[in-house]
Amino acid sequence: MARDILHKMKTLAGVGWRRQLLVAEACASMFAARMLLLVLPFSRVAGRLGDFVSPADPRVAQRAAATTPDQAATARAIGWAVRSAAPFMPFRSVCLQQAMAAHAMLRRRGIASVMHFGASPSGARAIDAHAWLDAAGVKVTGYPIPKEMGEIACFV
């Protein structure tokens, strides 16, 4: 475990200051998402995420579609930063916090995204839930999606 952390720290040291800043922003965004989810009811948090729509809503495909190469590169870089930082957060940064963090980072850059929500039965009356994010034709966070996961709704 310590060897893995040292390897990742060396990797981060070698990626350049722009990516290092992106990882720092991802950490701050995941922390903010965690705090929002701890302090506010999800109904209040949801209001900050956009319109809650069916996956069949035309805005879903429109906002997830490929845009400019620069926006796609930014979406890929943000996805990388969030996924890279998540294991090192002082709390368990689950798919919802990662999607919320990437969504906020993309929004700050004027890039539209779609946050998807899905669920699947896990037996004994429990449900497994999952969140994932698409933007600019890029699968930003939450991939791969478990094949038994059914999409329920989206925020656009």
Side-chain angles (χ1 to χ4, degrees):
M1 173 95 164
R3 180 185 282 166
D4 189 42
I5 291 172
L6 282 173
H7 174 73
K8 289 192 180 218
M9 289 175 69
K10 284 180 184 178
T11 300
L12 182 60
V15 297
W17 66 270
R18 287 187 180 166
R19 283 198 156 210
Q20 290 171 354
L21 287 176
L22 207 54
V23 168
E25 182 184 357
C27 289
S29 295
M30 280 186 281
F31 181 76
R34 173 74 172 165
M35 292 300 105
L36 278 174
L37 292 168
L38 282 175
V39 185
L40 298 175
F42 187 74
S43 59
R44 294 260 322 268
V45 174
R48 299 170 182 228
L49 299 176
D51 294 334
F52 194 60
V53 300
S54 158
D57 188 293
R59 292 175 288 178
V60 171
Q62 176 191 18
R63 292 197 180 184
T67 55
T68 68
D70 286 343
Q71 287 183 334
T74 299
R76 277 191 297 279
I78 287 171
W80 170 84
V82 169
R83 288 187 310 274
S84 297
F88 298 99
M89 298 304 295
F91 51 85
R92 189 168 167 248
S93 184
V94 295
C95 58
L96 179 57
Q97 290 141 0
Q98 291 179 39
M100 287 174 63
H103 172 76
M105 293 171 72
L106 289 161
R107 181 183 279 175
R108 282 192 285 277
R109 291 159 175 82
I111 301 173
S113 64
V114 178
M115 189 179 309
H116 304 268
F117 287 90
S120 66
S122 69
R125 295 184 182 253
I127 293 179
D128 283 333
H130 188 57
W132 61 98
L133 190 79
D134 296 323
V138 175
K139 297 173 177 178
V140 182
T141 64
Y143 285 89
I145 303 162
K147 61 182 170 186
E148 65 277 358
M149 190 67 54
E151 187 173 7
I152 298 170
C154 305
F155 282 103
V156 293

